[in-house]
Amino acid sequence: MRKKLATVWLGGCSGCHMSFLDLDERLLEIAQWADVVKSPVVDQKEFPEVDVVLVEGAVVNAEHEEEIVLMRRRSRVLVAFGDCAVTANVPSMRNAWPKEVVLRRSYLEVPGTVEGRVPTEEVAALIDRVRPLHELVKVDFFLPGCPPSADLIYYVLTELLHDRVPVLDEARLKFG
Ligand code: SF4
């Protein structure tokens, strides 16, 4: 039976999605097994019920907190997609400072931030600490890498979309 697949981009650089696109012609195989029903390249606003979701990025703001809870509720299998989702990685570097210091530095103290104010309505409110996905919801599979290789993504999706359990042991993670 065809599956429903989603890929979501939270607090990340999009590099994991670039690696997903590096599947190249193998994307056509994925398309034989699943419909991509929610993704940065699909114009679907609501997060639908899905079989598998790949979630790139850490949880950095209040919108992400709501999104990840909703995704968990509507996804049969949730995959932490890349090191930012798995460990919080690069976005968590700001955890060394209070968020007020980060906002002041970003919006008031550096060249190019000419309005002289911290935006409160245009962007979602930062949470106090950047968090990996598993601190908020149950994660079914951890797909590490910055970014994970296209081969590793292909392997994991092939298994999950055929109702098999991917084996993410040391050898697999080392060689993709
Ligand atoms: S894991 Fe690396 S490539 Fe993926 S979103 Fe984070 S920084 Fe970017």
Side-chain angles (χ1 to χ4, degrees):
M1 201 175 85
R2 286 184 70 75
K3 299 288 195 295
K4 290 184 178 171
L5 172 65
T7 75
V8 177
W9 175 10
L10 299 183
C13 74
S14 86
C16 293
H17 272 80
M18 294 300 112
S19 200
F20 176 72
L21 294 178
D22 281 342
L23 286 170
D24 295 329
E25 67 274 12
R26 289 178 291 184
L27 287 169
L28 298 177
E29 281 182 57
I30 302 291
Q32 289 178 346
W33 309 325
D35 295 317
V36 180
V37 293
K38 171 78 177 163
S39 166
V41 295
V42 174
D43 188 25
Q44 159 78 28
K45 308 299 183 211
E46 285 291 308
F47 189 89
E49 302 273 340
V50 300
D51 295 290
V52 179
V53 60
L54 304 181
V55 185
E56 171 190 321
V59 176
V60 310
N61 63 40
E63 283 183 8
H64 293 165
E65 281 185 325
E66 291 179 15
E67 285 179 69
I68 191 65
V69 170
L70 181 69
M71 283 188 262
R72 176 67 278 181
R73 202 178 314 135
R74 295 186 177 173
S75 306
R76 196 164 57 81
V77 176
L78 187 147
V79 180
F81 180 30
D83 283 350
C84 292
V86 173
T87 69
N89 196 30
V90 177
S92 69
M93 291 172 72
R94 77 138 160 112
N95 289 349
W97 297 273
K99 70 179 177 188
E100 291 75 18
V101 172
V102 174
L103 288 167
R104 193 169 65 237
R105 182 68 181 156
S106 302
Y107 288 103
L108 302 180
E109 296 178 355
V110 293
T113 54
V114 293
E115 283 195 37
R117 69 183 180 90
V118 175
T120 53
E121 292 173 8
E122 302 91 332
V123 294
L126 293 186
I127 55 176
D128 289 340
R129 214 180 111 259
V130 176
R131 303 171 76 186
L133 305 190
H134 68 270
E135 288 191 9
L136 289 102
V137 296
K138 176 178 174 284
V139 170
D140 298 302
F141 295 96
F142 294 89
L143 186 49
C146 184
S149 70
D151 288 345
L152 188 58
I153 298 168
Y154 176 73
Y155 166 71
V156 168
L157 282 180
T158 302
E159 296 304 284
L160 292 177
L161 295 175
H162 290 89
D163 294 321
R164 299 189 294 260
V165 177
V167 179
L168 294 169
D169 57 14
E170 194 176 349
R172 173 72 63 184
L173 294 178
K174 193 167 178 184
F175 297 110

